[in-house]
Amino acid sequence: MLSINENFLKLQASYLFSDIAKRVAAFQAKNPQRDVIKLGIGDVTRGLPQVCVSALHKAVDEMAEDATFRGYGPEQGYDFLREAIARNDFQARGVDICADEVFVSDGAKCDTSNIQELFSTDIKVAIPDPVYPVYLDTNVMAGRTGGFVDGRYQSVVYLDSTQKNNFVPALPAEDVDLIYLCFPNNPTGSTITKDELQLWVDYAKQNKAIILFDAAYEAFIRDDSLPRSIYEIDGAKDVAIEFRSFSKNAGFTGTRCAYTVVPKDCAAYDSGGARQALHPLWNRRHCTKFNGVSYPVQRAAEAVYSDAGKAQVRELTDYYMRNAELVRKEIGALGYDLVGGENSPYIWIDGKANSWDFFDMLLNRAGVVCTPGAGFGKCGEGYIRISAFNSYENVERAMRRIREALA
Ligand code: MLT
C-alpha cells in the first residue's frame, strides 16, 4: 500500500486565491448580468512595457534560425541577465552582489516555496501573521509545522503584525532558525525602515538564523529612505537570501521571470556544527530540478534594465500607485483605518467586521472582489486587502460602488 505525505492533510482547505476565484466564478454564474471588478489577487492588468515586447520579438526571431537558435540555457540564467540584475539592482545602489550570486527563475512564488528544501525539517520557523500563504503552506507540506489547532500550527513561531506594531513584527521572544520577512509587505502594504531591518539582521547573526527576504514589491517604494534590498543592511550577506520578481514591476505575471540572490557568504550548519555555504546547495538544487527560464523571456527581462525599460517600468508602477492613492483616499473618507498603498500596491483595511463577511458584502452589494484578511492568517481577521492592480477607470468605478454600497 502506498502511503501519502500526511503533512498535506494538515493544510487548511484550498489555496486562498483559488478559493476566492471559485467563489467569484460561482457568483458570476448565478449573476451573469453583474459586472465584477477584481481588486483581489495582485495580478497586473496592463500590457508589457514596449521594450520588453520588442526584446521578446527579436529573441523569438533568433529562435527561428539555426544559427541563432538556443536550446537548454544555463539553469541559473544567462549571464546577460544575471549581470544586468547585479549591476542595476545592487551594485548601482552600492550593494556588493555579484552576477553569480543571482539565480534566475520562473517566479518568486516557486523560489520562496522551494528554498525551504535546503533546511532540516526539525528547525524552528518564524512566519509573519498575516502572511503570503505560500511561506506557511510549503512548511506545512515539508512537515515543520505540527498540527493545526485554534487557527494556528503548533510548531510555528508566529510574528504578529498588527496595528499596535505598525504592521512590522517584533523580534521573536524565543530562538528561531528560519525567518520569513516580506517588505513592502504582502498583504498589509507596510514597510520596514533600515534601522528596524538591522535589528533582524543582528538577531539572525546572533542566533545563527537565516532570513528569507521577499522583496517582490520593491519597485513600488517611493520613500527613498526605505531599504529596497536587505543587502543594504550591514551584515545581511551572511544571513539573508533575497527574492525578487519581474511580475509586479514589469507586468510579467503571465510571462514568468524572477530571481533569487544567494550570497556566497550566506551559510547554515550541518548536524556536526560545521558551517555550510548555501550557494552551492541552492545551485545543486536548481541544476537538478530546473531547466532555466526561456531565452526570449530572459531577453525581455534584460530589457527592463535599459534606459527606456527603466522609464517604462516607472510609468507602469506609477500608474498602479495612482490607483492605490485613490483607494486610500476613498476608503479613508468612508472612515476606515488603513495602511499601505504609499510604497506598495496593497491597501490593508480594517473592515471592523468578519473579513469573509466583508468580502461577501462587497461582492454582493458592490460587485467588487477584494481579499479577505483572514485568508492571510489569524491576525488578518477583521481586515480586507484591496489591490491597486487594475485600470484607473475600474478602480474609480469600484470606489463609487463601494461608497454607494456602504452609504
Ligand atoms: C497576491 O495577490 O498576494 C499575489 O498576487 C500572489 C502572488 O504573487 O502569487
Side-chain angles (χ1 to χ4, degrees), residues 286-350:
H286 213 63
C287 293
T288 303
K289 296 196 176 182
F290 188 59
N291 255 339
V293 173
S294 78
Y295 173 70
V297 168
Q298 292 196 56
R299 280 294 185 199
E302 179 197 24
V304 164
Y305 296 106
S306 62
D307 288 345
K310 286 176 192 167
Q312 289 171 24
V313 162
R314 178 68 192 209
E315 192 275 323
L316 261 185
T317 55
D318 278 350
Y319 181 93
Y320 293 125
M321 290 307 284
R322 188 166 161 247
N323 294 350
E325 196 183 321
L326 181 64
V327 174
R328 279 181 60 86
K329 188 175 127 230
E330 292 278 348
I331 303 287
L334 291 171
Y336 290 93
D337 286 335
L338 51 82
V339 284
E342 288 175 305
N343 294 283
S344 147
Y346 296 130
I347 300 98
W348 187 243
I349 299 157
D350 183 353

